[in-house]
Amino acid sequence: MQCVAGAVCGETQGMCINPNPGGGCGGPGMSYVLVGAFLGGYIILYGQVQSWTPQMITGPLKQTPPNKLTEVLWGIINTIPSLVMSVVMLFAPSFTSGTNRDGQLVWLISAIISFAIIFAINSSIHSYLVVKYAPKEKVATSVGFYYMSNACGRLLGTLGSGFLYAYVGEDYGEYVGRNATTGLAVCFIAGTACSALAAFITVWLRDEEAGLMCGNIPIVNAVVNIDINEEKIQEGKNSLTQPLL
């Protein structure tokens, strides 16, 4: 049996044994402490980028205040890190061969950091749009519903990704388990699909009058709505028919 990086061969048992506490076979073989520290850094980075988004990102791009087109744009961009990572995990030699531990870490860390930054920008835009679209008398209710939906999404995402990670992929037997690389790649595919679906649903909102800018370059031109009062038009016509004194 040939074991992948992060595991050692148990020749007498005929299975792979991971040197890390807690078991598991293959992968980069990082310790629980290191993984936990990385997740903590992810949360800090996510929160900072979310708070900086109006001043450092959407502001300079002239996308403040954001509208539905801003969210559609960043929603599509949000699919890129997870899509790239899923393709890399399924086809790149660093993952398929299972022997390039450094390559695996570089890809995973780059994709996760990129996703954290882009997703934080999306979250900042969401927070503004929820308040913008909420009826004036139901702002608190709308914001509460937004965070309730957010929590439900995280719960379902946790359960769904855990299921995909644990049960998708080739089964190597009772002692080894399934191919975790394939399971994680499918998790990235599911995340890409959910991001794309959210962007697609946002298209149906009616909030495109301001258009979409990328710095000084217009991506979608603004729609100028001229609200003409019919009574004023009629008054103008009547004034034209009156004799001059």
Side-chain angles (χ1 to χ4, degrees):
M1 175 178 291
Q2 181 180 4
C3 291
V4 297
V8 295
C9 277
E11 296 179 359
T12 57
Q13 298 92 342
M15 61 181 180
C16 293
I17 303 174
N18 194 294
N20 296 317
C25 192
M30 299 169 64
S31 67
Y32 288 163
V33 174
L34 186 58
V35 173
F38 182 79
L39 291 176
Y42 172 96
I43 295 172
I44 295 172
L45 175 65
Y46 175 89
Q48 288 297 326
V49 173
Q50 186 177 9
S51 64
W52 291 337
T53 293
Q55 295 81 16
M56 299 183 63
I57 300 170
T58 55
L61 291 175
K62 297 184 178 180
Q63 296 175 0
T64 300
N67 59 11
K68 86 163 192 185
L69 298 175
T70 311
E71 176 49 34
V72 171
L73 172 64
W74 285 100
I76 294 173
I77 296 175
N78 196 56
T79 64
I80 296 175
S82 53
L83 177 61
V84 170
M85 198 61 219
S86 63
V87 174
V88 168
M89 293 195 72
L90 290 174
F91 301 106
S94 56
F95 285 94
T96 56
S97 66
T99 57
N100 188 351
R101 180 177 183 270
D102 293 337
Q104 293 177 6
L105 288 175
V106 169
W107 273 110
L108 284 169
I109 293 174
S110 299
I112 293 172
I113 291 177
S114 299
F115 180 82
I117 294 172
I118 298 171
F119 187 55
I121 296 171
N122 276 271
S123 182
S124 176
I125 297 172
H126 291 163
S127 300
Y128 172 82
L129 293 180
V130 168
V131 177
K132 176 183 178 181
Y133 296 151
K136 293 182 179 179
E137 66 279 4
K138 295 183 178 180
V139 173
T141 302
S142 299
V143 172
F145 183 79
Y146 164 71
Y147 281 106
M148 180 184 71
S149 303
N150 198 327
C152 289
R154 293 175 187 271
L155 174 61
L156 294 177
T158 300
L159 296 176
S161 61
F163 176 83
L164 293 175
Y165 181 80
Y167 294 103
V168 175
E170 183 180 355
D171 190 352
Y172 294 124
E174 178 182 358
Y175 296 102
V176 178
R178 295 182 180 272
N179 188 330
T181 301
T182 303
L184 186 56
V186 173
C187 289
F188 280 116
I189 293 174
T192 302
C194 291
S195 297
L197 178 61
F200 176 75
I201 293 174
T202 307
V203 172
W204 297 99
L205 296 173
R206 296 180 179 179
D207 181 29
E208 62 274 357
E209 290 79 8
L212 178 64
M213 298 290 294
C214 186
N216 294 322
I217 302 174
I219 300 177
V220 178
N221 292 324
V223 178
V224 180
N225 290 328
I226 303 176
D227 187 13
I228 302 176
N229 192 308
E230 295 182 357
E231 294 182 359
K232 291 184 178 180
I233 295 177
Q234 189 61 40
E235 290 177 1
K237 290 181 178 179
N238 293 338
S239 65
L240 292 175
T241 59
Q242 295 177 356
L244 296 176
L245 298 178

